[in-house]
Amino acid sequence: MAVDRERVAALVRELLEAIGEDPDRPGLRQTPVRVADSWAEFFAGVNQDAGAPLAHTISVSRGPAPDTLPSGAVMLRDIAFRSMCEHHLLPFRGRAHVAYLPGEEVVGLGALPRVIDILAARPQVQERLGEQVADAIATALDARGVLVVLDATHECVTMRGGRQPDASTVTIAARGVYAEPVARAELVALIGARA
């Protein structure tokens, strides 16, 4: 089900009244509609299949380049993402780093950010987001290992409560061989390495 923009707009109008504002004053007249449009984008991943971008795989041994079999992990670093914290409905944003150790199937690299986009476009917590990304990749591919590292800044930490503008949260989700800290150490080192 898509976001009910009309209902969201009505609720935002009511919220503005509840905080003592006049939703009919010039600066706020269009706010309910703007918020509804924003939320339709922010929560577009609700009820979407996060595995859909991974449905088209490429055979390693029978694919277009069977003479270039991967011998190690495939890693995509610095995937920008943004989500909405389900605890305060405040945004968090950051970088995702995703790696998997292929079995017989690989996927086009553009599929990995799409999985993250779908899962991030829901009310989320960072810990669950990383786990869901790892599960989607592990389920769709015959990967021998999956590693997802998320580094994000949360507005519920930077704007309220502790008000720590430079604090970021790092989470790690690992599957298969990368569940072992020694096996994932090289990948974690590569995340910070630059050529």
Side-chain angles (χ1 to χ4, degrees), residues 60-85:
V60 171
S61 62
R62 298 179 312 278
D67 54 334
T68 57
L69 297 175
S71 60
V74 175
M75 177 183 279
L76 191 57
R77 297 185 301 190
D78 295 322
I79 303 166
F81 75 92
R82 56 115 181 101
S83 190
M84 191 73 77
C85 170

Side-chain angles (χ1 to χ4, degrees), residues 21-41:
E21 266 292 354
D22 175 8
D24 292 318
R25 77 172 170 83
L28 292 176
R29 253 185 231 133
Q30 295 302 313
T31 298
V33 171
R34 288 185 190 115
V35 171
D37 290 345
S38 296
W39 278 32
E41 181 181 335

Side-chain angles (χ1 to χ4, degrees), residues 147 178 180-191:
L147 180 69
Y178 297 130
E180 291 297 321
V182 173
R184 69 176 172 247
E186 177 185 19
L187 295 178
V188 171
L190 285 173
I191 290 169

